[in-house]
Amino acid sequence: MDTLNFLLENLDQLVALTLEHLMLVSIAVGLAIVTGVPIGIAITQNQRAADIVLYIASVIITIPSIALFGLMIPVLSLIGQGIGYLPAIIAVLLYSQLPIIRNTYTAINNVDPALREAARGIGMTPLQRLRMVEIPLAVPIIMAGVRTAVVMNIGVMAIAAYIGAGGLGTYIQRGISQTDPRQLIIGAMAVSVLAIAADYGLLWVQKKFTPKGMKVAG
Amino acid sequence: MIKLDNLTKIFDTSEGPVTAADHISMEVPSGEICVLLGPSGCGKTTTLKMINRIIPATSGTVFINGEDTSAMDTVDLRRSIGYVIQQIGLFPNMTIEENISVVPRLLGWQPERYKARASELLDMVALDPSTFLKRYPNELSGGQQQRIWVIRALAADPPVMLMDEPFGAIDPINREVIQDEFLKMQAELNKTILFVSHDIDEAVKMADKIAIFRAGKLEQYASPDTILAHPANEFVAGFVGSDRTLKRLQLVRAGQVMGARPTFVQPQQSLSEALVIMERNEHRSITLVNSQHEPIGIISRDVAWNHQGLCGEHYEGLHGIAQQHDDLRTVVAQMFTADSSWLPVVDDQGRLVGDITQRGITHHLGATYRTQG
């Protein structure tokens, strides 16, 4: 009951923090798409580069977020951004690389060799092949990678409250430090609900972006 | 015209260099279908793919209509050649219209022009444009997809087409239908076509010339009838099969072998007249035709001998009937089914124009061996 009351009294704040949380994740994952997709495409050209890049991205994802924030504080302090939005966004950007790069790489590599040969044989340049055939066919799998990145990083972003990035983690952090179960529960629930909602929302987007001819088959 | 001059491909593999195509020289005249035939790994596909540089040649030259293609830009070269591959190469993310018009779009045609072209091509293979233009490949049956992918290669009207086992993935019934459609199309379009196959029957059916490959070498390049009747060596003979003479049956039409002055009787003639005609020609039976000159039955010598009356009262049903443009395989199959040594031959209107006998067929097939000594 207490929790519910607290929720109703602080609804405005909850909404504001949710939006802030969502915005931070969106910016970070947005940047991750802009960087990860081209990297994923580029490494299809070179097996060795692909191995190295995927290895690095895998290593990054194993670093605990709290440690990553700690590592960034001295570095980013040099430009006066040791805590706050910037390290939070950088952390999420880094964590998002693996699912996005790996899915892009896999999707492009898995385009049916017969289709690739057909595209070459009818006289498409490599760029036309990417634009007209390979990327459209890869979109569903790339979007699946984006979904993984978003859901995972909604959780990571909650921890970023400890370095003052704001977002829903603020409730969790306060709930722990003030031993206030109301805030702890609301924060945790809100993060979970947001993750689930984002997953479904992106699933819808993924279906929208899937070329129509690839859906009918089922 | 496609001319290959000493085209050679050597692959560097971990076990050393492998010669996939060894100084292949041949010339396909304009408007002909040349089938490259051989067992797998014989170099036929490699040779085909060197023409549009999907596989770069180690040495040698390809001429198209007299022009040395090595001076041409790869992308331009490919856009000027229709290319049909073994697997269904339709792009699943594009509609049928987009698929058909992909090369014209690459070539920078105006939308009205390539859209009109897509409809025209669909009409040509009897697929209704209003139904199919906006569909996606996976909404079509395999046979329909096959037709689309053949017409896609024709979209920009290239003079030359390369086809790599284009009908290999279709079930036998549909394959026959599509082969027939394709030949009909080719009769109008007169493309110069190189066609890879491993199926001797397909080659005999489609080809003006057959090139037989083994281990990267061109073993024999000749017309289907020459290959079947006079294989150049043991390998070719073995590859085309011990029943190669039977395969030649496909190459000959009933009209070419039939006796053009058939004997016949009409219903109002008497059986004794029929008997006279049969005895004069040493026939065991005779065709009965109606007033439109269409065969309606036969009268056997036994019946004519043992009965009195008119032909119209004593005939039995036809054992079979051959169309003038049926190939001999169809005709012989009918003869065997009916246990008959001859069949009446009719024209497109169903009128009797000749008769064809087993003797006539064996004589025709044997002619080439006699002249060669």
Side-chain angles (χ1 to χ4, degrees):
Chain A
M1 224 39 222
D2 266 3
T3 312
L4 200 58
N5 283 334
F6 183 88
L7 174 68
L8 292 174
E9 282 162 26
N10 295 286
L11 202 57
D12 289 353
Q13 195 191 19
L14 180 67
V15 169
L17 287 176
T18 304
L19 288 178
E20 185 178 42
H21 199 103
L22 202 56
M23 189 194 68
L24 288 171
V25 173
S26 305
I27 292 173
V29 175
L31 289 173
I33 294 172
V34 173
T35 51
V37 172
I39 293 174
I41 292 171
I43 60 175
T44 57
Q45 301 303 314
N46 185 323
Q47 183 62 47
R48 208 176 132 67
D51 291 343
I52 295 171
V53 167
L54 290 173
Y55 183 73
I56 293 173
S58 308
V59 168
I60 289 175
I61 219 166
T62 62
I63 305 173
S65 50
I66 205 86
L68 190 58
F69 293 138
L71 282 173
M72 278 192 288
I73 291 173
V75 179
L76 293 177
S77 291
L78 296 175
I79 53 167
Q81 299 280 348
I83 55 168
Y85 289 150
L86 191 65
I89 286 177
I90 290 177
V92 171
L93 175 66
L94 290 175
Y95 286 140
S96 302
Q97 293 300 317
L98 182 67
I100 293 176
I101 293 178
R102 190 175 51 198
N103 279 34
T104 305
Y105 172 76
T106 311
I108 299 278
N109 254 0
N110 281 356
V111 168
D112 187 343
L115 284 182
R116 197 172 285 136
E117 189 187 316
R120 279 172 69 204
I122 62 177
M124 286 188 188
T125 63
L127 275 179
Q128 285 167 332
R129 240 160 49 215
L130 265 181
R131 184 169 56 80
M132 298 173 78
V133 180
E134 291 171 352
I135 292 182
L137 295 180
V139 158
I141 301 174
I142 297 177
M143 278 305 297
V146 171
R147 266 172 66 201
T148 310
V150 167
V151 172
M152 181 179 84
N153 284 305
I154 283 176
V156 171
M157 195 54 89
I159 299 169
Y162 278 97
I163 53 163
L168 289 168
T170 315
Y171 280 130
I172 299 173
Q173 182 211 355
R174 275 196 234 137
I176 292 170
S177 58
Q178 299 168 11
T179 45
D180 178 358
R182 294 173 313 174
Q183 295 191 57
L184 190 57
I185 290 170
I186 286 173
M189 298 250 310
V191 169
S192 311
V193 169
L194 186 62
I196 293 167
D199 194 35
Y200 275 96
L202 286 169
L203 184 62
W204 182 81
V205 174
Q206 180 180 341
K207 285 185 177 157
K208 276 271 150 195
F209 271 94
T210 303
K212 206 169 145 240
M214 297 175 64
K215 274 185 289 199
V216 206
Chain B
M1 189 266 287
I2 305 173
K3 188 175 153 199
L4 311 182
D5 182 23
N6 282 310
L7 208 53
T8 300
K9 177 70 196 181
I10 299 167
F11 286 110
D12 283 318
T13 67
S14 48
E15 285 128 44
V18 172
T19 308
D22 190 0
H23 295 88
I24 305 296
S25 293
M26 57 192 279
E27 190 173 323
V28 186
S30 293
E32 286 200 355
I33 299 180
C34 168
V35 174
L36 310 181
L37 189 65
S40 38
C42 67
K44 56 190 194 295
T45 303
T46 306
T47 302
L48 184 87
K49 290 183 177 179
M50 281 193 282
I51 296 173
N52 65 354
R53 293 194 211 142
I54 291 289
I55 297 176
T58 307
S59 68
T61 324
V62 178
F63 297 88
I64 292 180
N65 294 333
E67 190 184 350
D68 180 352
T69 59
S70 52
M72 289 176 74
D73 174 64
T74 303
V75 166
D76 291 337
L77 173 73
R78 289 178 182 160
R79 288 176 188 175
S80 70
I81 297 176
Y83 187 46
V84 181
I85 57 169
Q86 202 166 359
Q87 303 89 343
I88 301 212
L90 293 177
F91 303 121
N93 55 317
M94 298 184 193
T95 62
I96 298 309
E97 181 176 33
E98 288 166 339
N99 263 294
I100 297 175
S101 58
V102 63
V103 177
R105 282 187 287 148
L106 293 174
L107 290 169
W109 288 20
Q110 293 301 308
E112 314 85 66
R113 187 165 164 221
Y114 65 66
K115 285 184 173 169
R117 180 69 178 153
S119 301
E120 180 190 325
L121 287 164
L122 278 175
D123 275 330
M124 197 163 79
V125 290
L127 295 173
D128 179 19
S130 59
T131 315
F132 287 97
L133 278 179
K134 298 298 169 201
R135 292 212 185 160
Y136 285 89
N138 61 7
E139 297 173 289
L140 272 56
S141 72
Q144 288 167 340
Q145 293 189 29
Q146 199 91 23
R147 290 178 178 87
I148 303 294
W149 122 54
V150 171
I151 60 176
R152 181 177 72 184
L154 289 167
D157 205 16
V160 168
M161 288 180 69
L162 305 178
M163 308 177 86
D164 183 8
E165 299 200 26
F167 310 131
I170 316 183
D171 62 272
I173 296 172
N174 264 310
R175 192 184 310 157
E176 288 270 324
V177 173
I178 291 181
Q179 285 169 344
D180 291 338
E181 276 181 14
F182 184 76
L183 285 175
K184 222 178 278 173
M185 238 154 59
Q186 166 65 1
E188 282 176 38
L189 299 172
N190 275 310
K191 303 289 181 196
T192 310
I193 297 169
L194 251 79
F195 185 119
V196 165
S197 178
H198 60 258
D199 177 359
I200 172 74
D201 292 310
E202 181 173 65
V204 167
K205 179 171 183 180
M206 308 293 287
D208 294 302
K209 295 250 174 57
I210 295 179
I212 298 203
F213 282 74
R214 173 175 60 164
K217 285 203 166 67
L218 181 57
E219 294 283 328
Q220 187 172 10
Y221 179 49
S223 70
D225 197 57
T226 308
I227 297 240
L228 291 172
H230 306 287
N233 54 38
E234 284 295 302
F235 171 78
V236 176
F239 190 79
V240 297
S242 51
D243 61 342
R244 54 187 176 272
T245 304
L246 289 182
K247 293 189 170 101
R248 292 178 57 214
L249 291 171
Q250 281 182 79
L251 296 166
V252 187
R253 309 273 150 201
Q256 295 169 255
V257 185
M258 68 183 187
R261 297 168 68 183
T263 56
F264 59 90
V265 286
Q266 289 171 324
Q268 67 278 12
Q269 286 179 279
S270 70
L271 285 175
S272 48
E273 277 180 76
L275 195 57
V276 169
I277 301 174
M278 278 187 267
E279 288 190 332
R280 194 194 310 141
N281 293 291
E282 292 179 2
H283 285 166
R284 298 177 58 84
S285 51
I286 190 165
T287 312
L288 176 71
V289 298
N290 64 13
S291 53
Q292 275 82 50
H293 211 62
E294 294 161 351
I296 51 172
I298 60 169
I299 293 162
S300 70
R301 211 144 124 179
D302 288 348
V303 170
W305 187 257
N306 291 319
H307 294 76
Q308 299 289 324
L310 298 180
C311 294
E313 292 159 355
H314 292 282
Y315 67 93
E316 52 186 300
L318 290 167
H319 291 153
I321 200 159
Q323 305 284 328
Q324 210 171 2
H325 48 75
D326 279 347
D327 65 45
L328 290 188
R329 197 167 65 154
T330 315
V331 175
V332 169
Q334 272 207 61
M335 286 178 175
F336 288 175
T337 310
D339 189 15
S340 167
S341 62
W342 69 280
L343 288 178
V345 182
V346 297
D347 63 12
D348 290 341
Q349 283 75 43
R351 289 176 310 216
L352 181 71
V353 289
D355 46 31
I356 187 163
T357 63
Q358 287 186 5
R359 255 195 76 86
I361 293 172
T362 46
H363 186 81
H364 182 92
L365 293 180
T368 176
Y369 304 113
R370 288 190 295 275
T371 53
Q372 298 274 327

